[in-house]
Amino acid sequence: MTEAAMALSLGGITFLLTVIWGGPLIRVLKMYGIGERIRIEGPQRHFTKLGTPTMGGIIIVVSTLIPTILWARLDNLYILFGIVVVSWLGLLGYID
């Protein structure tokens, strides 16, 4: 398989995982009350975000990392660098 075909395949698999897994994850986040907290002293327009599920980025991070780790050529430094960067930024988003 050529590199372009592999990249398109991984992109398609990532998209499908995101679409399939996204809805159930958002329902679970709402069920456990993992949502946006708004400070009272903030602007009034922020109250519309109250209860918006947070941690939605986990859908993208996991859906990107799983196919990449399973099917990409891990002997390529660019792939390894991408995995590290996506993991690091996902961790940073979780901490934030």
Side-chain angles (χ1 to χ4, degrees), residues 4 17-19 24 27 31 42 45 50 52-54 56 70 74 82 91:
L17 282 175
T18 303
V19 169
R27 281 192 292 278
M31 183 176 66
R45 66 181 182 274
L50 185 63
T52 301
T54 55
L70 290 177
L74 297 179
L91 178 64

Side-chain angles (χ1 to χ4, degrees), residues 6-91:
M6 177 60 81
L8 286 172
S9 298
L10 288 174
I13 292 168
T14 299
F15 174 74
L16 288 175
L17 282 175
T18 303
V19 169
I20 292 169
W21 190 44
L25 178 65
I26 290 172
R27 281 192 292 278
V28 168
L29 291 174
K30 282 185 178 182
M31 183 176 66
Y32 285 110
I34 300 174
E36 193 72 34
R37 293 184 184 97
I38 306 298
R39 294 189 327 211
I40 295 173
E41 60 272 357
Q44 291 293 323
R45 66 181 182 274
H46 285 194
F47 286 106
T48 59
K49 298 192 301 186
L50 185 63
T52 301
T54 55
M55 293 182 51
I58 196 168
I59 298 169
I60 296 168
V61 170
V62 171
S63 296
T64 301
L65 288 178
I66 288 175
T68 303
I69 291 171
L70 290 177
W71 292 298
R73 292 184 48 152
L74 297 179
D75 60 346
N76 186 331
L77 288 178
Y78 294 111
I79 299 292
L80 293 176
F81 183 70
I83 290 171
V84 169
V85 168
V86 169
S87 300
W88 174 251
L89 291 175
L91 178 64

